[in-house]
Amino acid sequence: MARLRPRHLRSGVSVLLVTAILVLVSTPSLHAQVTSEDADTSTRTGLTKRNAGDIEFQSIRTDSPRETFGTALYLRDELEHAMLRYRNDRTRRNMQQIASIATQFSALLDLSSVPEGVREGIGEQTSAFLLDIFGRIDLPSPADVPDLESMAEESAPTSWRIPGTPIRIARIAEGPREGEFLFSGETIRAAPRMFEAIQRVPLRSSLGIGTWSVAVREWTGPIIPAGVSSAIPNILRGFWWDTPIWKVLATIAMFILSALVIAFMHHALNRRESKSRIGFLLRRALTPLSILVAVPFIEHIVDLEINVTGAFGVYADTARTVIAYSAWGWLLWLILMIIVERIILFRKRPEGDFDEQLLRIFAGALGVVGGVIIVGAGAQKVGLPLYSVVAGLGIGGLAVALAVRPTLENMIGGVMLYLDRPVQVGEFCSFGDKTGTIESIGVRTTKIRGADRTLISVPNAVLADMQLINWARCDWMLINQTIGLRFETTPDQIRILLVKVREMIHTHPKIDRDTVRVRYTGPAAASRDVDIRIYALTHDWNEYYAIREDIFLRIDDLVEAAGILYAVRRWR
């Protein structure tokens, strides 16, 4: 009994590739659950008119216990005929017919309590146990099973039990299949126990098999010749997790081989450096895309050709679901980063600009949140208690927050630097007892190139609390110097010098005239001091030092012309 899984994981760029693969291997979707509306068209079920007992069916019906039970017997007979045809003619078409009938048999089970990601594996196991039970006990005639009219009476029970078994057919009270009669959810647990109790009773089957459970596990797809499976050594015919050992090893080998191929491709595509970050991210995105293409291919080989069943089949389904949803989360993160890099490229911001950093932080955080949501959806599909995990994270969140407190403080400090903008990349500033040029403002630290060309990394939280002097934001730059003249300098010489210096400074094109202050401050310990306080009309450091140099040289000329000598300590 082969299986085909729902194709939940195809969209975007990979949908075309996945569809092409599925078309090539001819694996049509066989998972639409058949409800009571299907009764009007036998072509939808692919089943021809046959007799089950003394009741005739054209399609699957679940309107009453009689119709559900009769449909189960009908599908059992159809399955035996299909498997006999496949045994004589191992074609893909015959295999797909087996898969179609098996899927419809599983549709008679109430699997609403089973996680979606492993629902079909559980349905297949339960179906095999039911077939084993039906072939070993005396079943009632469908005519003796309650019909719709009898179940509609007020005093009628809501379920019917197959005599001599714990198996019940019950009315579904809620959900998309409300009102249908299906083998109850308890059948998942009751059928294996019932089979264990009667497994020594010979199975009545035209296939000549001992048990359906074992036969289903040993069945293989059309690309695996019958001679190959029969040539498997006996040591590999034993069972691990309800699956033949050789199938377990083949499935693991398929996963490992696929992982190696994808890893090789990832290495080959990313070993060269990209000229742009967008090109780098696009090449990275090919890895999750290749995973999403590989998963349906592996699913087809494992489910239809190797035909993995039982508990190991459930594990394989879980692994595929986890891998696929993780790849979707990874792809979402990369797509968001590509979008942000495209925005940065369009805005033509300088490399290392804090706006760039903040956009990347936002895109990364959004990608992580989206990835967690996608992985959480996958966790729900395989039955992990996601909401309990979320509640546990809420309890442990405080401990995590305390553990990452320094990192969070630095991230918040980076946000404050962005909002206040006291400094930007490329600006010269002073902080504490150090000065330097801002090279980058990152998530955690700000990197500053010091005046001695050393690279200083300052945590954002520390930098946000420090007093920052941003020299690049100066409208004017202060020149404040004191010159010392010898004590022998007379007052008249000082007066003449002050007049000449003021005149020179007022006529200088790079000095603000309204803020000029040149004053004699009186005798000091070893000189007569003149204080000069002026503003250079620039905010560029190189130009500032050029203006300052020009002013000082002109003062030297004036001092020499006035016949004055500097004190031994000329400047301070």
Side-chain angles (χ1 to χ4, degrees), residues 330-409:
W330 185 8
L331 183 61
L332 173 66
W333 184 83
L334 288 170
I335 289 174
L336 290 174
M337 296 304 295
I338 290 171
I339 292 173
V340 164
E341 292 299 330
R342 186 68 185 86
I343 293 173
I344 292 172
L345 184 64
F346 178 77
R347 296 177 63 189
K348 298 180 179 179
R349 305 293 296 182
E351 184 64 30
D353 183 77
F354 187 67
D355 287 357
E356 287 187 12
Q357 301 292 336
L358 195 66
L359 281 171
R360 288 175 179 140
I361 293 170
F362 175 76
L366 188 61
V368 170
V369 172
V372 169
I373 292 174
I374 291 175
V375 173
Q380 286 291 101
K381 281 187 175 294
V382 299
L384 293 179
L386 180 63
Y387 297 114
S388 299
V389 172
V390 171
L393 289 176
I395 296 174
L398 179 60
V400 174
L402 292 174
V404 300
R405 181 181 60 82
T407 300
L408 290 176
E409 288 179 350

Side-chain angles (χ1 to χ4, degrees), residues 50 351 374 387 430 434 532 541 555:
R50 292 181 56 85
E351 184 64 30
I374 291 175
Y387 297 114
S430 297
K434 297 180 176 63
I532 300 173
W541 278 99
I555 292 175

